[in-house]
Amino acid sequence: TGREQFFTMPSNCPACAAEVVKLPGEVAWRCPNVSCPARLRESLLHFGSRPAMDIDGLGPAIIDQLLENRLVINVADLYDLTEQTLVQLPRMGAKSAANLIAAIAESKSRSLDRVVFALGIRYVGATAAKALAGHFADMEELMAAGREELLTVAGIGDKVATSIQDFFQEKRNLSTV
């Protein structure tokens, strides 16, 4: 139409100003900052989603409030929330706070495959998470697995095995788990 505008990819993340990176062979540009507020928001949304930990009531508006009030800095902080803390948030009544705390507590009984999927390990979708959970007895065994053992799991290839190892070598990820 002649009204098109030229787009230039930002060189810095709009949320945290970290320099964005494009990995070889990939199309997407990504923020590499594991402490980026936008990445944290998306990881919380994924973690609480129905196919992951299925935390009813943990939607975008609540997550935004938790982040704005600095009540969470990683997904593990969800498990430290209390009703007393939540009722102090705007538009959060006692019943809603109690329901959210109950949903968070209920999520502790999720299966290993859902926990692995919820962690948001790059390239590990629901199918790969099921395969990993079928092979490893628990999270500790998965975390300790070497590259060769990961490659013996059906459906886990070189790229996924590397991603899993990289994830569990990051100190912040280990402390979260």
Side-chain angles (χ1 to χ4, degrees), residues 25 34 49 74 80 118 138 165:
V34 294
S49 71
N74 62 44
D80 293 330
D138 54 33
Q165 283 200 303

Side-chain angles (χ1 to χ4, degrees), residues 112 116 121 131-133 135-153 156 160-169 174:
L112 179 60
V116 171
I121 302 170
L132 291 164
H135 184 85
F136 296 101
D138 54 33
M139 184 64 75
E140 289 76 21
E141 196 175 300
L142 172 59
M143 290 168 50
R147 179 177 185 69
E148 295 307 315
E149 185 173 8
L150 288 168
L151 290 171
T152 66
V153 178
I156 302 299
V160 177
T162 299
S163 180
I164 293 167
Q165 283 200 303
D166 289 348
F167 182 87
F168 288 122
Q169 288 175 358
L174 291 174

Side-chain angles (χ1 to χ4, degrees), residues 16-88:
C16 73
E19 190 173 328
V20 296
V21 296
K22 181 179 170 221
L23 300 175
E26 293 192 6
V27 178
W29 289 81
R30 300 182 189 281
C31 175
N33 178 9
V34 294
S35 300
C36 175
R39 284 185 58 179
L40 174 58
R41 181 181 189 275
E42 293 305 311
S43 72
L44 289 165
L45 281 168
H46 173 72
F47 187 83
S49 71
R50 185 164 286 129
M53 298 303 282
D54 193 17
I55 302 175
D56 191 36
L58 186 66
I62 297 297
I63 288 172
D64 289 343
Q65 285 189 319
L66 294 174
L67 292 171
E68 287 168 15
N69 288 282
R70 303 189 196 293
L71 296 176
V72 294
I73 58 168
N74 62 44
V75 297
D77 290 338
L78 293 171
Y79 296 94
D80 293 330
L81 294 172
T82 64
E83 287 182 47
Q84 295 78 17
T85 303
L86 292 177
V87 294
Q88 295 175 22

Side-chain angles (χ1 to χ4, degrees), residues 35 53 96 102 109-110 175:
S35 300
M53 298 303 282
S96 297
S109 66
R110 302 290 182 249
S175 68

